[in-house]
Amino acid sequence: MTVDALAVVALCPPLNREAVGSGGLRTALTNLARASELGARVSLVVPSDEPEQLLEARATVRRMLPEGGTRLTVEGDWTTPRTTDIALATAATTAKPTRDHVKADRFVYFVQDWESWFNPVSDGFMEAEDSYRQPWEFITIGKWLRARLEGLGHRGRVTSIPFGVEVPIDVLLSPTRRHRPLVSFNYQPEKLRRLPNLVCEVSRALHLLRPDVSQAFFGSESPLPEGVKAESRGMLTEREMWDMMSSSNAVVHFSSTNPSRIPFESLACGTPCVELFGDTTLYDFPPGGVVQVMPRVADVVTVLGEILESPERYRELAIRDALMIPSRDSERDEFVRALFGGPQEQAPPVQLRRKPDFVSSTSLEGLPFDTSPTAVGVQS
């Protein structure tokens, strides 16, 4: 596709040190870097034009995109009037300033999460909900968001792109062998949508029932709550995460506001992933290697027990599903095609599940610990 000389103005959230750990922001930047490689002139606009914040934003882009960061221009101040070929909103908070301060031939909104659900019903909730009602074109990561936006009346204006992965082949061929089985948990108490209370409850129950199983928590530098018997890996590089996943028997991750890339990365490492069953997870995760259960301690712990008892069976399912996952290059190319070519003709989104993959017939209510939010160290 020829995109030479086309200009894109992309309004972004603050590109500060905290942004480095944002998977969604990394996805947006890598996709825009691909557009720049093909000849587009891409400008990233952050909220402030303070010199120190602009320097930090440019350093953040170079850190997140060591190979392509220099191709993207970073500018400041959302409220400065701008004229461009394509205006791109990259998050709910950027929709209003994009609408109010950018003049463009086309307006596109790259949606990676249902961000209103990050908030209680409030000004922030209503602002995010309103962002999805703009009469624009939409690009979504995954099919669930596309189905939801089409339900709001945007049919014909939404293109979904797939979750791609790029795990090095040596990770798959040389997984770390451990003397004890390992379960890895995505634990992010800063993001309540990742259900940190449930993660801690499952971890503690699993330790009581299977003390022979090692546990690793990743995704946050926050200290682990008292009584959680796990190793804290903190924030991991992509390579560190792949190495951990490939040496795990299972990865536990909960996607409550949109499917995450983590289950796909787990599959690509040949490792099954335990996910929640809910509206957000019905369209994108292949049945088999991603095992979906209701967000209940008994269901999650019991299915982990099943995976630990039959590791080769579940590893084979994960590898089978991994063969269907496209590459990150394919994902980026589909983003560029939708950004510059307009809405793509696609088959309607189809639900891949109608019920949980596994339902526990037992209860863990008799376990001797307190699973209240205070006990596990997470504020509700």
Side-chain angles (χ1 to χ4, degrees), residues 74 113 129 171 203 222 283 292 334 362 364 367 372:
V74 179
D113 229 318
E129 284 285 302
V171 172
S203 170
S222 297
Y283 290 86
Q292 292 192 17
E334 290 201 31
T362 63
L364 302 182
L367 288 176
S372 65

Side-chain angles (χ1 to χ4, degrees), residues 342-354:
Q344 305 293 299
E345 185 173 345
Q346 296 178 316
V350 176
Q351 288 190 23
L352 302 179
R353 288 173 173 81
R354 296 289 177 179

Side-chain angles (χ1 to χ4, degrees), residues 47-70:
S48 173
D49 62 356
E50 291 292 329
E52 289 186 1
Q53 295 188 30
L54 281 175
L55 286 173
E56 184 179 24
R58 290 168 182 144
T60 297
V61 172
R62 289 193 297 271
R63 183 178 174 187
M64 296 181 78
L65 301 174
E67 296 181 359
T70 56

Side-chain angles (χ1 to χ4, degrees), residues 113-349:
D113 229 318
W114 203 258
E115 293 184 55
S116 58
W117 290 357
F118 295 3
N119 309 284
V121 177
S122 59
D123 293 333
F125 175 92
M126 298 309 299
E127 180 181 345
E129 284 285 302
D130 185 59
S131 75
Y132 305 127
R133 291 177 169 82
Q134 302 302 319
W136 297 343
E137 299 168 24
F138 294 83
I139 302 172
T140 68
I141 184 76
K143 296 178 181 177
W144 174 74
L145 284 168
R146 179 181 158 211
R148 188 164 181 85
L149 286 167
E150 288 181 345
L152 292 179
H154 295 300
R155 191 175 303 277
R157 293 204 299 267
V158 188
T159 302
S160 60
I161 63 173
F163 290 89
V165 295
E166 50 188 4
V167 178
I169 189 65
D170 64 292
V171 172
L172 301 178
L173 297 178
S174 303
T176 303
R177 301 301 179 187
R178 297 182 178 274
H179 297 297
R180 300 176 65 185
L182 172 68
V183 175
S184 297
F185 294 83
N186 183 23
Y187 174 66
Q188 296 178 285
E190 305 87 359
K191 297 180 179 179
L192 297 185
R193 62 186 181 275
R194 295 298 181 214
L195 311 187
N197 288 347
L198 179 60
V199 168
C200 291
E201 292 173 14
V202 170
S203 170
R204 296 172 76 175
L206 180 64
H207 177 72
L208 285 173
L209 296 171
R210 291 291 304 268
D212 60 307
V213 176
S214 298
Q215 299 184 29
F217 275 35
F218 68 98
S220 174
E221 299 296 340
S222 297
L224 300 187
E226 184 177 351
V228 171
K229 307 296 183 182
E231 175 190 2
S232 178
R233 301 285 182 91
M235 298 290 295
L236 302 178
T237 65
E238 282 192 325
R239 179 65 195 221
E240 289 170 340
M241 185 172 68
W242 296 332
D243 287 340
M244 179 197 67
M245 287 180 171
S246 66
S247 63
S248 298
N249 293 75
V251 172
V252 178
H253 172 83
F254 299 127
S255 300
S256 63
T257 57
N258 185 39
S260 165
R261 194 181 301 274
I262 286 177
F264 295 99
E265 292 172 324
S266 180
L267 293 178
C269 291
T271 302
C273 183
V274 178
E275 253 287 4
L276 64 83
F277 173 83
D279 292 344
T280 57
T281 59
L282 300 181
Y283 290 86
D284 294 283
F285 294 134
V290 179
V291 187
Q292 292 192 17
V293 297
M294 297 301 293
R296 302 168 185 152
V297 176
D299 291 44
V300 180
V301 171
T302 307
V303 81
L304 284 173
E306 293 287 323
I307 294 172
L308 292 165
E309 289 297 321
S310 306
E312 290 306 316
R313 172 174 174 262
Y314 281 94
R315 178 173 172 79
E316 289 175 3
L317 290 171
I319 293 173
R320 182 202 67 185
D321 290 344
L323 297 175
M324 299 184 289
I325 302 174
S327 67
R328 287 294 289 273
D329 281 341
S330 296
E331 175 190 326
R332 295 177 188 121
D333 289 342
E334 290 201 31
F335 173 86
V336 169
R337 191 175 298 113
L339 180 64
F340 295 103
Q344 305 293 299
E345 185 173 345
Q346 296 178 316

